[in-house]
Amino acid sequence: MYEAEALRNWSEREKLRVIIKEMAQKLWAWRSLFLLIPGVNSKKKQMCFDWGPGEMLVCETSFNKKEKSEMVPGCPFIYIIRKDVDVYSQILRKLFNESHGIFVGLQKIEEELTGKSRKAQLVRVSKNYRSVIRACMEEMHQVAIAAKDLASGRQFSTQVSILSAMELIWNLCEILFIEVAPAGPLLLHLLDWVRLHVCEVDSLLADVLGSENPSKHESFWNLVTILVLQGRLDEARQMLSKEADASPTSAGMCRILGDLMRTMPVLSPGSTQTLTELELKWQHWHEECERHLQDGTFASSPHLESLCKIMLGDEAALLEQKELLSNWYHFLVTRLLYSHPTVKPIDLHFYAQSSLDLFLGGESSPEPLDNILMAAFEFDIHQVIKECSIALSNWWFVAHLTDLLDHCKLLQSHNLYFGSNMREFLLLEYASGLFAHHSLWQLGVDYFDYCPELGRVSLELHIERIPLSTEQKALKVLRICEQRQMTEQVRSICKILAMKAVRNNRLGSALSWSIRAKDAAFATLVSDRFLRDYCERGCFSDLDLIDNLGPAMMLSDRLTFLGKYREFHRLYGEKRFVDAASLLLSLMTSQIAPQSFWMTLLTDALPLLEQKQVIFSAEQTYELMRCLEDLTSGMPVRGEPDAQRLQDDDIETTKVEMLRLALARNLARAIIKEGSLEGS
Amino acid sequence: MFVARSIAADHKDLIHDVSFDFHGRRMATCSSDQSVKVWDKSESGDWHCTASWKTHSGSVWRVTWAHPEFGQVLASCSFDRTAAVWEEIVGESNDKLRGQSHWVKRTTLVDSRTSVTDVKFAPKHMGLMLATCSADGIVRIYEAPDVMNLSQWSLQHEISCKLSCSCISWNPSSSRAHSPMIAVGSDDSSPNAMAKVQIFEYNENTRKYAKAETLMTVTDPVHDIAFAPNLGRSFHILAIATKDVRIFTLKPVRKELTSSGGPTKFEIHIVAQFDNHNSQVWRVSWNITGTVLASSGDDGCVRLWKANYMDNWKCTGILKGNGSPVNGSSQQGNSNPSLGSNISNLQNSLNGSSVGRKHS
């Protein structure tokens, strides 16, 4: 039993069985639509609410403004409501993480693969999904055992039983829909399925064999019966030989029954035997069993006789073992094993239905799990998915199973348009749930990517809501958007970050985000802040950034100016006065510099004009003079002057006078220099 | 679904509105106690009130966040006939130390002569704009031309609706094919029955909002109205809270067929109508992808609605008060929610598809 190690402890299993029963009832309870909000009196008050990206706010209010009821609300709380509870489970995170890898791999399975190799690959994918479920179940079980308080222990146990139910359903779907086992092998698969999921027998086996006198063990006959019910006849025979050794009186009978067990024809994988041959042999064997029963071979041992009846597929004898069978699908498989070993897939539903009816015997009604399995036996994939969606608490199961079945091309044949759409619908729901979680959202991205119809637009809506709490997170979100050419989202995110940086007076960061957002208006705004800061403090911050703007400088005129103006300062600092001077002049003549800044630029020219050597040529000096005159003539006529303005005007007038003087002197020197140069 | 947390609101009177910010990391509440409170979510997931201040001289009906591209900005509207715009100021070290933030009033919009019943920021692609509506029957659209100077708002449009207005909703579509559009609802209960929902569309040529449609079938008082997120659809979906929940689709009739320059005409269909709230419905709101509509009504419940494939809408969840008084701590974390409290009637939604599916 390759995976039967899941739960070894017998008593644990017993406890689990009770819980599974409880769970089944709960599954129905979950259908209830209601979430109760504590403290709110729905008879008197109403609730106001708001949607958030992953949560919902709810709070008590009274909308009817006309009838003034009690002032203060009865419930002073605001509630935060979340949707997918499972997203927040630590253990299930592993399920989400690991299945994500399998999912992405499945999407990449080459379409060209056909026939057997494709099927083999899909079966492998299915088994991978199941082993992730199993691993998760295993871990959840450990946690359940280790749980300190009863309540959380029960909670985890419930989770275990849900996972176990998921695996049970998935396994059956794998056999019927993916493996598509034909008559013959079908039963072998179903036997494995039952053995895997009704595995108490292994611990019992160990228990009995470990006892001093196995055949006298109180559970000895239960064990043998279970082994026979599960078709584990070799082990059953070994047990019978222990009984034969211990009680000589029944040794003969044990040997005969053992022989019947040994000779039961089974389909061995890889043999060339045809189904007809098998059926023929099986018929002979069946008749032999029948004869022994008729002859009263086992009449003196009720245990052995009952075993023989089981092997004859006697329904009454089987139903006597209800306790040991534990469920109707075990009953179904045992019944098939001993009466219709070559059952065809198409006939399964008939036996399944009658087994369910016989097993429940009208005492109880089918539970959700029963309905799901029944739908699978009926090959009604749509019904399976629908029932699972009702019964299970998260979208993980249906989304992944549906996607896999879609890759098996099963949904198309079921109903082309609806089929592919159902896959997308479920994947979108699952991915949206992941986006409610602060880190799992990253898995959600890939699921959206593989939804051709609404995946992209859903991703756009979700991803822009990811809180940009750290730079690292922002960059991660941006990368995802950039990879998918989501230009509007990239712009918006950068803009948000630029705005945040400006508000916090981090101008460098603001500038680089607005460049990334390609937001010219905002780049202008931030550039102005830089220039204003420069005018106030006389130095630039974030030199690294401004010095290395490169082509980004072209985003806005003001940014260009900022970059060029800083370049002027660098040239000046490097004493490259001639270059600095012509750059300064060009900033004005090319109109890159805003007029409001010209006075600052002209003032910056002053020290250059005062240098020992002539830096501005005569022509350049004329240009500078023109700029100065443009600026002064353009100055507005002022209204009523106040003291402060008079003082400002005074400073301004002095500045202009100084500039005029310096320009005139420079012009004189330049003319002389240029004249003498030409002359020489 | 489960209650993840409860937070003591500490308002001294009825809370009228709760509002998440764009990222769901902050929320604002407003109340008849004339104040607005802002709450921030810490890294550990706890919520703390970081600001609480008197905003108006009357009940505050609505509070709403601007898109974060415009910074941290709130708008509120009140019975005191005004709407106000608030901005958070960064850097007051004293406040920061106390874990408090500081909000300043940037503007008071005083044009209404009656109670301002709703305030909504326009979709961000339109710039920083907001609309208000008031009991005097006028929708006003304001714009802040300089996003760095929120003290300057100019009244761009005044749309007369002839009926006392209760609610407005911007069409969120940023498609070039769709002109800016605003839907207005009226709770006028005077006996001369008139259609209570009007839709106005911006005309590029006249630079004015003109009435595009009136939903003739909605004649009972309307309390709330909400356009669904667009998802690239060519048509619009509008939810209305009146004596029941109604969902309409508005399909633009092709321009060539209408007289050029006039407002778009729509083919209007009602796709769902639910009277499960038994009486008045007060609020309707879409989740961020427009796949689920929530409504709140006189039955004291919030109901969730989801469309299935054939435009067949069903209830997928109900939040209902349990009626018992609350006691206990102010912030009850529930990090280990019980599976048992799960709502998972997924059957209803299974056959569904999002609202946004393109009609072929």
Side-chain angles (χ1 to χ4, degrees):
Chain A
M1 296 303 97
Y2 64 101
E3 275 164 327
E5 73 276 10
L7 301 158
R8 295 206 172 279
N9 189 306
W10 171 263
S11 65
E12 280 300 327
R13 278 303 297 200
E14 276 305 294
K15 213 161 81 191
L16 206 61
R17 185 134 36 130
V18 175
I19 293 165
I20 288 177
K21 267 270 187 255
E22 264 174 38
M23 177 204 87
Q25 279 144 21
K26 266 192 191 162
L27 285 171
W28 284 108
W30 288 347
R31 295 191 69 173
S32 136
L33 295 165
F34 289 93
L35 173 64
L36 293 178
I37 307 296
V40 175
N41 186 346
S42 282
K43 287 200 184 80
K44 289 183 178 168
K45 295 286 177 60
Q46 295 105 41
M47 286 188 271
C48 61
F49 63 90
D50 191 30
W51 288 101
E55 299 167 325
M56 202 175 182
L57 288 174
V58 177
C59 124
E60 186 180 276
T61 189
S62 180
F63 285 115
N64 206 336
K65 289 152 195 169
K66 277 153 205 159
E67 15 179 295
K68 191 86 179 170
S69 52
E70 318 146 51
M71 280 247 296
V72 185
C75 172
F77 290 101
I78 303 165
Y79 292 97
I80 297 196
I81 313 296
R82 284 180 180 167
K83 198 167 155 247
D84 298 282
V85 70
D86 289 346
V87 173
Y88 304 93
S89 153
Q90 275 302 319
I91 298 163
L92 291 179
R93 277 189 70 152
K94 204 170 275 178
L95 179 73
F96 302 142
N97 270 313
E98 290 180 17
S99 55
H100 165 258
I102 303 171
F103 172 82
V104 172
L106 174 59
Q107 310 309 309
K108 290 176 179 160
I109 279 194
E110 288 168 43
E111 283 298 318
E112 307 91 70
L113 278 180
T114 47
K116 275 195 174 158
S117 62
R118 184 179 171 86
K119 190 171 116 180
Q121 207 157 3
L122 290 167
V123 170
R124 195 154 53 237
V125 168
S126 177
K127 288 197 154 92
N128 286 343
Y129 275 128
R130 281 202 292 122
S131 74
V132 173
I133 302 177
R134 287 222 150 240
C136 218
M137 188 167 100
E138 189 66 5
E139 188 175 341
M140 193 73 85
H141 179 64
Q142 295 308 325
V143 174
I145 293 170
K148 285 180 195 81
D149 59 303
L150 198 70
S152 64
R154 279 173 76 93
Q155 217 176 79
F156 287 120
S157 300
T158 310
Q159 291 259 23
V160 173
S161 47
I162 293 169
L163 287 166
S164 151
M166 283 183 186
E167 212 265 344
L168 178 81
I169 299 162
W170 193 302
N171 195 352
L172 184 62
C173 290
E174 180 183 304
I175 294 166
L176 298 177
F177 306 139
I178 304 169
E179 192 95 57
V180 204
L186 175 63
L187 183 71
L188 299 182
H189 281 294
L190 290 176
L191 268 177
D192 280 341
W193 174 62
V194 157
R195 285 169 189 166
L196 182 59
H197 289 276
V198 186
C199 52
E200 295 91 340
V201 65
D202 294 296
S203 48
L204 188 60
L205 186 64
D207 211 23
V208 170
L209 285 176
S211 68
E212 234 170 78
N213 198 345
S215 61
K216 294 285 174 284
H217 191 284
E218 55 173 358
S219 299
F220 177 80
W221 285 107
N222 275 353
L223 174 64
V224 181
T225 311
I226 295 173
L227 289 172
V228 173
L229 290 172
Q230 294 202 354
R232 293 164 69 169
L233 296 182
D234 287 341
E235 288 156 286
R237 251 174 55 223
Q238 282 169 22
M239 300 308 290
L240 281 187
S241 68
K242 297 217 183 298
E243 164 69 7
D245 295 345
S247 71
T249 50
S250 62
M253 286 186 289
C254 284
R255 197 182 33 90
I256 295 167
L257 193 64
D259 280 345
L260 287 174
M261 288 174 175
R262 190 171 46 76
T263 54
M264 177 175 165
V266 284
L267 192 75
S268 53
S271 85
T272 53
Q273 182 176 233
T274 65
L275 273 189
T276 331
E277 284 169 351
L278 179 76
E279 272 165 359
L280 212 67
K281 280 191 194 160
W282 190 85
Q283 203 54 47
H284 275 297
W285 172 81
H286 192 78
E287 278 159 16
E288 198 184 341
C289 292
E290 185 76 52
R291 208 182 56 241
H292 278 294
L293 196 67
Q294 297 300 332
D295 295 350
T297 310
F298 310 113
S300 60
S301 166
H303 285 303
L304 293 177
E305 189 169 66
S306 146
L307 288 177
C308 184
K309 280 182 182 167
I310 291 172
M311 287 164 66
L312 275 163
D314 181 306
E315 268 161 23
L318 281 170
L319 285 170
E320 268 170 39
Q321 307 301 336
K322 253 189 188 177
E323 279 297 302
L324 298 178
L325 285 164
S326 75
N327 54 56
W328 66 272
Y329 45 90
H330 191 341
F331 170 57
L332 163 71
V333 174
T334 307
R335 196 176 152 210
L336 290 173
L337 173 68
Y338 294 117
S339 49
H340 309 280
T342 56
V343 63
K344 293 192 192 75
I346 198 164
D347 296 327
L348 262 182
H349 75 274
F350 163 74
Y351 295 112
Q353 188 62 57
S354 71
S355 298
L356 176 67
D357 294 344
L358 282 169
F359 197 82
L360 297 185
E363 287 163 30
S364 54
S365 49
E367 285 160 6
L369 184 59
D370 303 327
N371 295 332
I372 294 166
L373 297 176
M374 188 56 73
F377 285 124
E378 285 166 1
F379 287 85
D380 187 345
I381 294 178
H382 177 225
Q383 191 64 22
V384 171
I385 293 163
K386 193 169 161 178
E387 295 271 350
C388 287
S389 301
I390 301 165
L392 298 167
S393 59
N394 66 49
W395 294 99
W396 180 88
F397 181 81
V398 277
H400 287 87
L401 182 63
T402 307
D403 174 60
L404 178 59
L405 295 177
D406 189 51
H407 276 87
C408 298
K409 313 264 186 240
L410 285 167
L411 298 180
Q412 278 90 337
S413 65
H414 179 75
N415 180 331
L416 186 102
Y417 193 46
F418 184 87
S420 64
N421 202 55
M422 177 162 69
R423 167 190 175 272
E424 174 153 331
F425 175 85
L426 295 170
L427 287 176
L428 288 174
E429 285 294 334
Y430 175 63
S432 300
L434 291 177
F435 260 85
H437 190 269
H438 63 87
S439 67
L440 288 176
W441 65 268
Q442 295 168 77
L443 304 178
V445 173
D446 286 316
Y447 287 90
F448 280 135
D449 278 350
Y450 290 107
C451 293
E453 202 175 338
L454 288 170
R456 184 182 168 96
V457 63
S458 303
L459 178 58
E460 285 173 355
L461 286 169
H462 278 289
I463 198 141
E464 61 182 11
R465 304 274 180 157
I466 297 292
L468 308 166
S469 39
T470 63
E471 181 122 329
Q472 200 189 0
K473 198 164 177 187
L475 289 171
K476 195 180 277 175
V477 173
L478 272 177
R479 199 169 54 243
I480 289 167
C481 293
E482 280 167 350
Q483 282 164 353
R484 288 158 184 78
Q485 279 93 42
M486 294 180 172
T487 44
E488 169 51 23
Q489 281 65 36
V490 170
R491 189 204 59 76
S492 183
I493 290 163
C494 293
K495 181 69 185 286
I496 292 169
L497 293 165
M499 182 57 101
K500 203 164 153 188
V502 162
R503 280 163 33 83
N504 289 291
N505 232 354
R506 290 183 285 111
L507 292 185
S509 169
L511 185 58
S512 57
W513 284 121
S514 35
I515 288 170
R516 201 157 170 183
K518 298 194 178 61
D519 186 333
F522 212 72
T524 298
L525 189 142
V526 179
S527 304
D528 276 338
R529 285 276 184 95
F530 266 108
L531 294 168
R532 199 183 70 197
D533 278 12
Y534 170 75
C535 289
E536 281 166 9
R537 288 192 230 133
C539 64
F540 282 110
S541 57
D542 300 283
L543 284 178
D544 256 11
L545 175 69
I546 302 172
D547 284 345
N548 296 300
L549 282 171
M553 202 189 280
M554 308 310 288
L555 181 61
S556 91
D557 283 353
R558 201 58 48 85
L559 182 58
T560 315
F561 171 65
L562 175 67
K564 290 289 175 192
Y565 184 53
R566 162 61 196 155
E567 197 178 321
F568 160 75
H569 279 271
R570 213 180 57 232
L571 293 171
Y572 185 86
E574 291 164 4
K575 302 215 183 313
R576 293 163 62 188
F577 295 133
V578 177
D579 294 341
S582 59
L583 177 58
L584 190 69
L585 184 61
S586 73
L587 286 177
M588 283 182 282
T589 54
S590 65
Q591 303 285 330
I592 290 174
Q595 276 232 334
S596 60
F597 214 77
W598 281 21
M599 192 49 90
T600 313
L601 294 178
L602 288 165
T603 316
D604 283 331
L606 262 180
L608 290 167
L609 293 166
E610 299 294 335
Q611 291 289 329
K612 278 203 191 78
Q613 73 274 41
V614 178
I615 292 164
F616 286 105
S617 69
E619 198 182 331
Q620 285 178 316
T621 315
Y622 283 129
E623 293 266 19
L624 281 174
M625 289 169 123
R626 194 177 52 78
C627 290
L628 182 63
E629 291 317 306
D630 279 2
L631 190 62
T632 48
S633 65
M635 278 177 181
V637 184
R638 306 254 163 93
E640 279 297 300
D642 57 34
Q644 177 64 40
R645 183 172 291 163
L646 277 174
Q647 202 189 341
D648 287 352
D649 284 355
D650 223 28
I651 295 168
E652 206 68 358
T653 317
T654 319
K655 242 190 211 169
V656 172
E657 291 307 315
M658 273 173 65
L659 273 166
R660 284 201 177 117
L661 184 64
L663 285 166
R665 279 173 38 170
N666 190 70
L667 182 61
R669 288 161 62 199
I671 291 171
I672 293 167
K673 189 185 160 203
E674 284 162 27
S676 56
L677 274 175
E678 270 168 40
S680 62
Chain B
M1 231 183 297
F2 63 102
V3 174
R5 218 164 266 280
S6 61
I7 302 149
D10 203 27
H11 273 290
K12 292 180 183 62
D13 204 332
L14 266 183
I15 295 172
H16 293 293
D17 200 12
V18 287
S19 175
F20 260 129
D21 81 334
F22 186 72
H23 292 118
R25 301 280 305 177
R26 315 190 84 182
M27 61 170 167
T29 53
C30 64
S31 155
S32 270
D33 68 8
Q34 308 181 356
S35 75
V36 164
K37 286 175 196 277
V38 170
W39 309 76
D40 282 277
K41 191 179 186 176
S42 69
E43 278 307 309
S44 59
D46 293 328
W47 288 86
H48 301 284
C49 180
T50 56
S52 173
W53 71 100
K54 185 174 185 295
T55 48
H56 290 274
S57 53
S59 288
V60 189
W61 301 136
R62 293 273 200 160
V63 62
T64 187
W65 296 83
H67 193 279
E69 278 186 26
F70 304 110
Q72 295 300 310
V73 180
L74 280 172
S76 57
C77 66
S78 162
F79 182 70
D80 72 1
R81 307 173 182 186
T82 68
V85 176
W86 309 87
E87 188 177 21
E88 189 183 28
I89 298 300
V90 186
E92 300 301 319
S93 53
N94 275 345
D95 285 339
K96 256 192 179 162
L97 282 176
R98 285 184 288 121
Q100 294 294 295
S101 66
H102 189 57
W103 290 77
V104 293
K105 187 192 274 188
R106 288 307 188 193
T107 196
T108 308
L109 307 170
V110 295
D111 303 278
S112 171
R113 269 153 291 163
T114 53
S115 173
V116 181
T117 48
D118 201 357
V119 59
K120 295 274 165 64
F121 283 102
K124 69 170 191 294
H125 66 269
M126 292 172 62
L128 186 50
M129 292 182 107
L130 63 79
T132 64
C133 70
S134 45
D136 60 9
I138 296 173
V139 172
R140 295 180 175 86
I141 296 173
Y142 298 86
E143 180 171 21
D146 177 1
V147 296
M148 296 311 288
N149 182 2
L150 299 187
S151 56
Q152 283 184 7
W153 288 80
S154 55
L155 177 59
Q156 295 282 331
H157 304 280
E158 277 193 316
I159 308 167
S160 175
C161 299
K162 314 262 187 337
L163 284 173
S164 167
C165 301
S166 55
C167 50
I168 41 180
S169 175
W170 290 95
N171 185 339
S173 172
S174 59
S175 158
R176 279 167 206 276
H178 300 144
S179 301
M181 192 193 287
I182 192 164
V184 189
S186 166
D187 60 355
D188 202 315
S189 51
S190 57
N192 51 334
M194 272 175 77
K196 297 295 195 300
V197 175
Q198 301 172 61
I199 292 159
F200 298 91
E201 191 190 45
Y202 183 67
N203 184 311
E204 291 289 346
N205 299 323
T206 60
R207 303 192 172 189
K208 279 193 166 67
Y209 280 84
K211 194 189 284 184
E213 283 296 345
T214 305
L215 301 192
M216 300 309 294
T217 55
V218 185
T219 53
D220 294 290
V222 167
H223 306 292
D224 201 9
I225 195 162
F227 274 110
N230 184 267
L231 292 148
R233 274 181 270 106
S234 63
F235 61 97
H236 314 292
I237 295 176
L238 185 66
I240 291 167
T242 172
K243 64 175 180 184
D244 47 25
V245 181
R246 295 188 199 177
I247 302 170
F248 290 91
T249 57
L250 289 82
K251 295 179 189 173
V253 177
R254 284 198 297 158
K255 278 275 182 189
E256 307 91 84
L257 302 177
T258 63
S259 56
S260 62
T264 313
K265 287 290 154 197
F266 296 93
E267 247 176 64
I268 299 170
H269 294 287
I270 186 160
V271 292
Q273 186 167 7
F274 311 108
D275 55 7
N276 306 52
H277 287 293
N278 298 326
S279 181
Q280 297 301 307
V281 183
W282 295 98
R283 286 285 172 89
V284 282
S285 171
W286 298 92
N287 69 346
I288 62 164
T289 45
T291 49
V292 183
L293 177 74
S295 62
S296 178
D298 262 346
D299 60 350
C301 297
V302 174
R303 291 169 188 268
L304 307 182
W305 311 94
K306 203 165 161 55
N308 85 2
Y309 184 69
M310 297 304 290
D311 259 349
N312 191 0
W313 291 73
K314 276 182 180 167
C315 183
T316 63
I318 300 167
L319 313 185
K320 188 182 192 305
N322 76 346
S324 66
V326 192
N327 42 26
S329 66
S330 62
Q331 188 153 135
Q332 307 155 336
N334 187 356
S335 57
N336 205 357
S338 146
L339 276 161
S341 64
N342 229 355
I343 289 187
S344 69
N345 191 341
L346 310 178
Q347 175 176 33
N348 297 328
S349 49
L350 178 70
N351 298 336
S353 133
S354 75
V355 179
R357 89 169 315 293
K358 294 181 189 105
H359 281 221
S360 44

